[in-house]
Amino acid sequence: MGKSSSLKPMFCSLPAIIFLLSQSVGVQSIRYTPDWESLDSRPLPTWYDESKIGIFLHWGVFSVPSYVNEWFWYWWKGPQPHADIVKFMTENYRPDWTYADFAEQFTAEFFDPYKWAEIFNASGARYVVQVTKHHEGFTSWPSAHSFNWNAKDVGPNRDLVGELSSAIRAKTTLRYGVYHSLFEWFHPLFLKDKANNFTTQDFVVTKTMPELYELVNTYKPDIVWSDGSGDTIDKYWNSKEFVAWLYNDSPVKDTVVTNDRWGTNCGCKHGGFLTCADRYNPKKKQNRKWENAMTIDRYAWTFRREAKLSDFLTIEELLTSVIETVSCGGNILINVGPTKDGMIRPIYEERLRQMGSWLKVNGEAIYKTVPWTYQNDTLTPNVWYTSKKGSPSTIYALMLKWPGRKLFLGAPQPTERSEVTLLGYGKLTDWVSITGAGIQIEIPVIPINSVPCLWAWALRITEVK
């Protein structure tokens, strides 16, 4: 067309072209080198921080004895046996029974991956992390590197990883992740490397790393949750080389996130997010993204036949952990221990569905939020805060206990344009500012059929135009 046309030219300026190219290339334009300075510089994929809540699954051969915890084999046959486990085996199994014999009883006959996916979706969680191999070495997928000690060759005779990952992706929008133990308690090659003070890497090059590459290439997980350093550092495990491959060349390089358990020198220092310790809940804001991996059963990550009702967190306790964790900038990974036959017991299902019903009302104060200036309130300690991402003038006050008719908050400083809303109920117009000391909120009498939820309540405090 000629210059006199009223249509705008169909081209961009050079700066615009550069911007568009940078957006289309994204993280692919960056090559990470196998050192922690480079690997730690990778931005955490946004989906992970916004998700806030995940489900952890500890399910394996240890689910057969289902006694004490997932370290059953080690506490039975390790260097310092536990008397109660030795006694349990003596009284209930023949003298020549081996741990490998339990694998035949890991039947999973009631395992319905679509039912599991429905439960996890109903919980309000946004991702699932499945234990694909614990320190016992048994793989829940038909690994080419774990002959006759995997779920396809013995026990269920099924690909448990493939079935669950497929069901989650087919029926939900949850992200799927894998947990994988670097070491194995009794593997002869690991014990040989250990005896050589880890100057040899026979176990790493023939077992650990081939399994990790196989897991990622086959199932394309969005989380690789490493564990089990085996009392040695990342250099032995070739951890940095693997993480660099994950970020640069793997099929999930743009979406995958990793944790910090890549060697004894890495915990709470290096990786995509920090776990620091089991059930890590510092109750104060951290400088880096972190995750609270915790359990509904107070004492174990696995299903325990000897567990009592009081051993399980109440819904109030579970929601307290969720709120504290998110307020301080963390994600929470809530563990469930299925049975050997593939059932999620009612106590676990009840807690997950209760959490899901709470999140339907209060999810706005959890998902896609960021830590506020304060985490706890200065006047009312059982109130925790989050802030709306991208809108710092909107904060959420999450109350662990019902305040009665009056609530005093010392942290917010209201103005004449402040508006207070009880999520799931509506605006609370009768609030009164306390000059220089926060806000006093008048709570109306709420009819029983209008109560927004049964545990923990969230207020939205925002500035309106």
Side-chain angles (χ1 to χ4, degrees):
M1 293 182 180
K3 292 182 180 179
S4 61
S5 172
S6 61
L7 294 176
K8 294 182 178 180
M10 297 300 291
F11 60 82
C12 297
S13 65
L14 182 59
I17 292 173
I18 293 173
F19 173 78
L20 290 172
L21 286 174
S22 68
Q23 293 300 298
S24 63
V25 174
V27 295
Q28 296 179 29
S29 63
I30 301 174
R31 295 290 297 181
Y32 297 96
T33 54
D35 58 83
W36 288 120
E37 182 178 2
S38 175
L39 298 173
D40 289 344
S41 73
R42 176 182 182 258
L44 190 72
T46 303
W47 76 261
Y48 177 78
D49 178 63
E50 294 183 344
S51 296
K52 305 302 181 185
I53 302 172
I55 302 298
F56 215 177
L57 291 170
H58 275 67
W59 193 37
V61 174
F62 45 74
S63 304
V64 178
S66 54
Y67 181 65
V68 179
N69 60 34
E70 66 285 351
W71 281 60
F72 181 91
W73 189 10
Y74 188 80
W75 298 136
W76 176 33
K77 293 296 184 179
Q80 296 179 313
H82 284 201
D84 57 336
I85 291 180
V86 173
K87 182 174 182 289
F88 174 83
M89 291 303 301
T90 300
E91 293 179 348
N92 294 283
Y93 294 88
R94 65 176 187 263
D96 62 343
W97 189 271
T98 68
Y99 190 78
D101 291 325
F102 283 123
E104 294 286 348
Q105 299 179 357
F106 182 39
T107 51
E109 67 266 33
F110 298 131
F111 171 50
D112 180 348
Y114 293 96
K115 177 63 176 178
W116 285 24
E118 186 276 324
I119 293 172
F120 302 151
N121 194 52
S123 77
R126 294 291 184 260
Y127 59 95
V128 173
V129 177
Q130 180 181 4
V131 170
T132 62
K133 187 193 80 170
H134 200 260
H135 313 325
E136 65 185 11
F138 186 89
T139 68
S140 294
W141 80 99
S143 175
H145 311 285
S146 189
F147 174 73
N148 207 38
W149 193 232
N150 67 75
K152 188 68 172 178
D153 290 344
V154 64
N157 301 125
R158 298 166 66 174
D159 179 359
L160 303 179
V161 175
E163 289 188 39
L164 184 59
S165 61
S166 296
I168 287 172
R169 287 163 174 155
K171 295 298 182 180
T172 77
T173 59
L174 277 69
R175 303 272 183 160
Y176 176 79
V178 296
Y179 164 111
H180 177 271
S181 174
L182 296 173
F183 92 125
E184 298 174 21
W185 290 311
F186 303 116
H187 196 288
L189 289 180
F190 175 74
L191 297 177
K192 176 186 173 184
D193 286 348
K194 186 175 183 179
N196 291 332
N197 294 317
F198 300 111
T199 57
T200 56
Q201 292 180 294
D202 291 346
F203 180 71
V204 176
V205 299
T206 62
K207 191 71 162 64
T208 296
M209 282 301 153
E211 284 179 346
L212 277 170
Y213 285 101
E214 181 183 57
L215 264 177
V216 173
N217 283 318
T218 304
Y219 303 104
K220 300 174 178 56
D222 285 321
I223 303 171
V224 177
W225 215 101
S226 181
D227 193 23
S229 64
D231 297 324
T232 189
I233 63 173
D234 56 358
K235 183 178 180 181
Y236 168 75
W237 293 113
N238 293 337
S239 299
K240 290 174 286 189
E241 291 75 12
F242 173 73
V243 175
W245 172 80
L246 262 185
Y247 293 172
N248 291 326
D249 302 308
S250 78
V252 288
K253 62 182 182 295
D254 295 330
T255 58
V256 72
V257 295
T258 63
N259 65 333
D260 56 351
R261 301 188 183 188
W262 297 101
T264 54
N265 58 323
C266 298
C268 220
K269 295 179 182 178
H270 302 299
F273 59 87
L274 307 180
T275 59
C276 300
D278 291 350
R279 303 177 181 88
Y280 180 62
N281 185 5
K283 300 186 181 182
K284 61 181 181 180
K285 184 181 175 183
Q286 302 298 295
N287 293 327
R288 284 189 57 184
K289 186 64 187 182
W290 59 283
E291 184 177 77
N292 176 11
M294 49 79 72
T295 59
I296 293 177
D297 180 338
R298 304 174 197 274
Y299 306 110
W301 298 85
T302 55
F303 168 70
R304 295 185 300 130
R305 287 181 287 168
E306 79 273 21
K308 306 182 296 294
L309 181 61
S310 60
D311 292 342
F312 296 89
L313 297 182
T314 64
I315 184 57
E316 292 87 353
E317 291 172 318
L318 178 58
L319 292 177
T320 294
S321 291
V322 171
I323 291 166
E324 290 174 346
T325 298
V326 174
S327 174
C328 296
N331 278 23
I332 189 166
L333 188 60
I334 302 167
N335 185 73
V336 169
T339 64
K340 71 179 183 67
D341 48 20
M343 294 295 293
I344 294 176
R345 305 307 294 173
I347 188 66
Y348 287 113
E349 182 175 352
E350 180 183 57
R351 292 295 175 268
L352 296 184
R353 291 190 184 278
Q354 287 173 325
M355 181 175 68
S357 70
W358 182 84
L359 285 165
K360 285 181 179 179
V361 175
N362 301 289
E364 176 187 337
I366 298 295
Y367 305 122
K368 298 183 180 180
T369 60
V370 295
W372 190 47
T373 306
Y374 298 90
Q375 279 66 62
N376 263 129
D377 189 70
T378 54
L379 292 179
T380 309
N382 60 8
V383 173
W384 293 78
Y385 291 102
T386 61
S387 179
K388 189 173 183 178
K389 187 175 182 179
S391 182
S393 62
T394 298
I395 64 172
Y396 301 95
L398 293 118
M399 306 175 289
L400 301 182
K401 296 181 180 179
W402 185 251
R405 292 303 305 277
K406 291 185 179 181
L407 174 66
F408 298 91
L409 300 177
Q413 298 299 316
T415 71
E416 66 277 2
R417 295 184 291 109
S418 297
E419 181 178 275
V420 180
T421 301
L422 177 63
L423 296 188
Y425 175 72
K427 296 178 183 178
L428 305 181
T429 56
D430 297 327
W431 61 272
V432 180
S433 173
I434 303 176
T435 303
I439 185 172
Q440 173 183 289
I441 301 171
E442 299 286 344
I443 307 294
V445 176
I446 301 177
I448 190 65
N449 61 349
S450 298
V451 174
C453 54
L454 298 176
W455 335 269
W457 300 264
L459 295 171
R460 183 203 305 122
I461 305 173
T462 189
E463 298 292 297
V464 296
K465 296 181 180 180

